[in-house]
Amino acid sequence: MNTSDNKAVYFKREALKRVVDAFDKGTLEKNAYRIPFEVIPPDSKSAVRCCIYKERAVFRARTLAAMGCSVEKDDEATSLNDYAKQALLRKAVPEVPLTVMDIACKGCVKARHIVTEACQGCLARPCQQACKFGAISFSDGRSHIDPDKCKNCGQCKAVCPYNAITYVPVPCEQSCPVNAIHKGENGFAEIDFDKCISCGHCMDACPFGAIMERSQLIDILSQMQSSNKVCAMIAPSIVGQFNCTLPQLMTAIKKTGFDKVTEVAEGADITTANEARELVERLENGARFMTTSCCAAWIQAVKKHLPALKEFVSHTKTPAAYTAEIEKKNGFVTVFVGPCVSKRVEGMEDPNIDFVMTYEELGAMLDAKGINPAECEETPLDPKISGEARYYGVTGGVAQAVENAIAGKRAFKKMAINGLDKKTMMLLNAYAKGAGDFQLLEVMSCKGGCIGGPCTLKKQAQVIQPIKDLVSKSPKVPCALDDQKETK
């Protein structure tokens, strides 16, 4: 995996890789405690904190998360070996998808505006005039902001002619679209899971890698080691994530031990057909608009924060749900492989999705097993899957697929929400109250779509062309209105 110089990403993926390697060797239960020492040896130059001892403590926490354990519940006296044993005996996947490592958290100061040395002590005092809360005073030839009075409205920053006022954010808090992360009593980050939509934005934003997923790798590996047949269902956004073709990657994934590898794009074609029919039916019955339903974080946002929009959300199942339904009937244990955290929540709610694995976890598994996808032979792709289905992972792809499936038989306007944040959450509330001139609203939690997910391996610019190349070689989506029956 290419992690460049991002040590937060490197250590996270290294923990996943070490857990897979130890599991395969059968040494996890006996030697899990050694993992932090092997990664951070006495002569280590990898440490970025005060000392190698704290670095090891942080990596211990990363190992816990990689084994699917809760770091918050760690009593520190329990050995990693004991946690490994618990993970190996686990019968159900972790209910909470994220965990915060307080030892890795920087404990950022409260987000605030500050006056820098660039302040010139203007005679006109524009910052003081702009502040409506009396938070700005003038002394010693420069402006000062009273943090107790400041509301962080940013008006002073906007009017400063010297750009002398800057905003110092708390990355995880600023990235959360629903204000679900905050500082606890100890000054470190805590997640309110009653509010959390599992979008993973906080995990992606934290520059210290203090937020990690509770991995299901051990659960998946145990299934692959059992007599059960296990199917890896790969999301459309996986194209371009590895330095190989999709047919080569399918072969590589099967080499890890999966009995079958299938494209979730197969389910996307079913989603497209059913959503197209549903949209036409709703509009004919007088509905103002309908939103897409395939983004799991978006569905959680509606459930927890936007109840007024519930009536507008499509009832059509997600591509992962349809694909899992097919593979369950074929007798497989199903593992969805994708770029996001929120699919773990969908997996818990859908009895047909047994486990969820991210691209980062898949990369760790391939690395640990010494499998280079670029050296693998190609597995033939399903020639019936449409290009529109394989473009689902890019913002606008779902709406475009639905439009193409309607084939001009019903005119409508479409629009896409390209990433959930605090501003778009306010905009969505306005849509529920009557704003907006569209009939189909696609909502993607991550900017760029699934290819911008928090658990991807490459930047969006690197994967767009491989996706487009595959789409161009795939057939067009058929018209969904020729047969009005729901596609199964």
Side-chain angles (χ1 to χ4, degrees), residues 275-290 399-414 437-440 479-482 484:
E275 206 153 71
R277 298 187 191 103
E278 183 183 0
L279 175 64
V280 171
E281 181 180 347
R282 285 194 182 211
L283 295 180
E284 289 177 349
N285 290 331
R288 280 199 295 123
F289 67 92
M290 182 182 82
Q400 187 62 57
V402 172
E403 183 177 57
N404 292 356
I406 290 175
K409 294 186 177 182
R410 176 64 161 86
F412 68 92
K413 291 182 179 180
K414 64 182 187 297
D437 181 22
F438 52 81
Q439 287 74 51
L440 178 62
C479 178
L481 302 188
D482 292 337
Q484 291 298 315

Side-chain angles (χ1 to χ4, degrees), residues 239-241 244 390-391 394 451 458-473:
V239 177
Q241 292 292 325
C244 64
R390 287 172 170 148
Y391 201 67
V394 182
I451 60 172
K458 289 189 177 180
K459 296 179 180 179
Q460 297 180 35
Q462 296 174 289
V463 303
I464 282 289
Q465 195 56 51
I467 292 175
K468 289 183 176 180
D469 289 343
L470 180 60
V471 168
S472 68
K473 299 174 184 176

Side-chain angles (χ1 to χ4, degrees), residues 175 177 197-201 294-299 301 340 342 395 417-421 424 442-450 452-454:
S175 68
I197 60 174
S198 300
C199 63
H201 292 353
C294 59
C295 176
W298 158 237
I299 298 304
C340 64
S342 60
T395 293
I417 292 291
N418 186 25
L420 291 178
D421 55 30
T424 54
E442 176 189 308
V443 184
M444 288 288 192
S445 169
C446 298
K447 288 185 179 180
C450 302

Side-chain angles (χ1 to χ4, degrees), residues 97-407:
L98 292 170
T99 187
V100 180
M101 298 172 284
D102 59 358
I103 193 171
C105 180
K106 184 69 174 178
C108 307
V109 296
K110 181 181 177 181
R112 68 205 190 283
H113 282 81
I114 61 173
V115 180
T116 70
E117 293 181 356
C119 178
Q120 300 297 305
C122 302
L123 183 63
R125 314 273 168 81
C127 58
Q128 197 172 38
Q129 297 296 318
C131 182
K132 300 177 180 179
F133 308 102
I136 298 181
S137 60
F138 188 84
S139 62
D140 301 323
R142 59 183 294 183
S143 295
H144 300 272
I145 299 176
D146 184 341
D148 294 328
K149 295 180 179 179
C150 179
K151 305 298 181 184
N152 284 320
C153 67
Q155 291 301 308
C156 58
K157 182 179 184 294
V159 300
C160 178
Y162 292 99
N163 293 323
I165 299 176
T166 188
Y167 178 64
V168 181
V170 177
C172 61
E173 292 179 5
Q174 181 167 282
S175 68
C176 181
V178 294
N179 298 316
I181 192 163
H182 59 276
K183 287 184 181 61
E185 293 181 358
N186 60 4
F188 300 119
E190 288 183 357
I191 298 174
D192 183 344
F193 288 102
D194 290 332
K195 294 181 179 179
C196 179
I197 60 174
S198 300
C199 63
H201 292 353
C202 59
M203 183 177 76
D204 205 26
C206 178
F208 293 93
I211 304 167
M212 274 186 66
E213 292 176 274
R214 292 178 64 182
S215 177
Q216 297 174 16
L217 268 178
I218 288 180
D219 311 84
I220 296 167
L221 290 166
S222 296
Q223 288 294 323
M224 293 165 68
Q225 199 177 72
S226 72
S227 59
N228 294 325
K229 296 191 302 179
V230 187
C231 176
M233 309 180 301
I234 55 176
S237 56
I238 202 169
V239 177
Q241 292 292 325
F242 296 83
N243 296 323
C244 64
T245 65
L246 180 59
Q248 285 178 313
L249 181 59
M250 293 183 76
T251 303
I253 295 173
K254 195 165 184 180
K255 281 188 173 184
T256 65
F258 284 100
D259 297 285
K260 182 180 180 181
V261 183
T262 189
E263 290 184 75
V264 171
E266 178 184 2
D269 271 330
I270 301 174
T271 295
T272 297
N274 291 337
E275 206 153 71
R277 298 187 191 103
E278 183 183 0
L279 175 64
V280 171
E281 181 180 347
R282 285 194 182 211
L283 295 180
E284 289 177 349
N285 290 331
R288 280 199 295 123
F289 67 92
M290 182 182 82
T291 83
T292 54
S293 58
C294 59
C295 176
W298 158 237
I299 298 304
Q300 291 299 311
V302 172
K303 287 180 179 179
K304 295 182 178 182
H305 302 279
L306 300 166
L309 280 169
K310 184 178 180 180
E311 64 177 288
F312 299 102
V313 178
S314 169
H315 297 149
T316 299
K317 296 178 185 178
T318 70
Y322 284 122
T323 307
E325 194 171 33
I326 293 170
E327 298 307 338
K328 267 296 179 183
K329 290 178 181 177
N330 291 333
F332 285 96
V333 170
T334 57
V335 179
F336 174 81
V337 184
C340 64
V341 180
S342 60
K343 280 295 181 182
R344 296 197 192 277
V345 179
E346 181 180 340
M348 294 173 201
E349 297 177 348
D350 188 332
N352 291 320
I353 302 175
D354 295 310
F355 303 99
V356 173
M357 176 191 287
T358 68
Y359 297 156
E360 288 183 313
E361 291 169 335
L362 174 60
M365 183 180 289
L366 290 168
D367 280 355
K369 294 176 180 290
I371 300 171
N372 183 356
E375 296 176 353
C376 293
E377 296 180 357
E378 295 194 337
T379 295
L381 301 180
D382 187 338
K384 300 186 298 297
I385 294 176
S386 75
E388 285 87 346
R390 287 172 170 148
Y391 201 67
Y392 252 54
V394 182
T395 293
V398 181
Q400 187 62 57
V402 172
E403 183 177 57
N404 292 356
I406 290 175

